[in-house]
Amino acid sequence: MALVDRSDRAQAVADEIRESGGTAMAVQADISDPDAVTQAVEEVTATLGPVEVLVNNAGFARDNMVLDMPLADWDSVMATHLRGSFLMLKATAPAMREAGWGRVVNISSISALVDGDRANYVAAKAGLEGFTRATALDLAPFGITVNAIGPGVVVTEMTKVSAARAGRTLDEHIEVQRQSIPRGRVGTPHDIARAVLFFTAEDADYVTGQVIYVSGGPHG
C-alpha cells in the first residue's frame, strides 16, 4: 500500500501498517501538481509495482457563504478534490489498462447532494461524482471499474474544523450531528473502509459508475 499526502502525516500511518505486519510506503506530494503526481506514481511503481487500486481520498474544506468566498478558497478546494483526482487517475490508469484490470474509488461526500455555506466543497464533490460516472464508461472496456463513496458525518480531522467553525466542542458537535442520523450514530473511518473493500474486490467487476452514500440512513 502507498499513501500520498502533501504533508508528512502519511508516514506515521505507513509506519503503523508496517508494524502490524503489512506493506506500506508514504510519499509526500501535492496531487494538484501534475509533475508531483507523475513523480509520486513513478516512485510507488518502482517500489511496489504498478498501481492496481486507486483510492482518491485527498480533500479539505474552506467553508464560507458563497458571496463571502475568496476565489483562492474556491480554487484550492477544486484543485485538490477534482483536479487531483483527475491527475491521479491519469497517472495510474494506463498500467491498469495494460493489465486488463483495475479499481478506482473516489471519495465524495453526502454534501454532493446539497449543503449550505460551502459551495466550493459541494461543487467539487458533485463534480467528482459526475467524473466517476463518465470515467467508468471510458474505462469499462479495459476491465477497470470506477465508483464513488459519499460519506455522511464521519469523525475525522475535518470534523474538528467543522465543530470549531460552529462554535462547539467536538463532543457537542458530534451529538448535534448524531441526532439527525437515522442510524443513531456518527460514522467512523472503518465504515468507509468497508465500502472501499466492496468496490475493490476481485469479483466486484460488474459494479461500476456507482455512488454509495455511507451515511447512516437515506437522504432525499
Side-chain angles (χ1 to χ4, degrees):
M1 175 185 291
L3 301 99
V4 180
D5 196 308
R6 65 181 181 182
S7 75
D8 59 2
R9 288 178 297 182
Q11 186 61 57
V13 179
D15 291 342
E16 289 181 15
I17 293 171
R18 285 195 294 268
E19 288 169 5
S20 65
T23 300
M25 64 180 292
V27 179
Q28 192 168 348
D30 179 353
I31 64 165
S32 68
D33 180 340
D35 293 336
V37 167
T38 298
Q39 183 174 342
V41 172
E42 288 177 352
E43 184 176 342
V44 170
T45 301
T47 304
L48 301 177
V51 175
E52 297 178 327
V53 175
L54 169 66
V55 179
N56 280 315
N57 189 42
F60 61 91
R62 291 289 183 271
D63 297 345
N64 216 327
M65 189 271 198
V66 64
L67 297 182
D68 298 326
M69 184 174 293
L71 178 60
D73 287 354
W74 175 275
D75 287 345
S76 62
V77 168
M78 289 293 179
T80 296
H81 292 267
L82 205 46
R83 175 185 169 98
S85 297
F86 166 73
L87 291 174
M88 288 298 297
L89 184 145
K90 284 274 287 183
T92 57
M96 299 181 196
R97 178 174 58 185
E98 184 175 344
W101 192 94
R103 299 286 184 265
V104 179
V105 180
N106 299 315
I107 304 301
S108 177
S109 169
I110 197 72
S111 293
L113 298 177
V114 67
D115 208 348
D117 290 340
R118 54 188 343 201
N120 52 358
Y121 190 83
V122 171
K125 291 306 192 182
L128 190 59
E129 293 184 7
F131 175 72
T132 296
R133 296 184 183 98
T135 54
L137 290 177
D138 288 349
L139 300 177
F142 307 112
I144 303 169
T145 66
V146 187
N147 293 288
I149 296 168
V153 180
V154 177
V155 180
T156 65
E157 290 299 313
M158 193 182 294
T159 313
K160 298 177 183 178
V161 175
S162 298
R165 186 168 181 269
R168 306 181 186 120
T169 66
L170 179 60
D171 288 343
E172 290 170 344
H173 188 69
I174 290 173
E175 177 58 23
V176 169
Q177 297 295 323
R178 184 194 66 76
Q179 293 175 15
S180 67
I181 300 171
R183 185 64 182 84
R185 69 172 177 87
V186 297
T188 69
H190 178 78
D191 295 315
I192 310 308
R194 291 296 297 168
V196 171
L197 286 174
F198 166 71
F199 277 140
T200 58
E202 181 77 31
D203 57 356
D205 62 308
Y206 202 55
V207 182
T208 192
Q210 304 303 307
V211 181
I212 290 182
Y213 294 107
V214 182
S215 57
H219 294 261

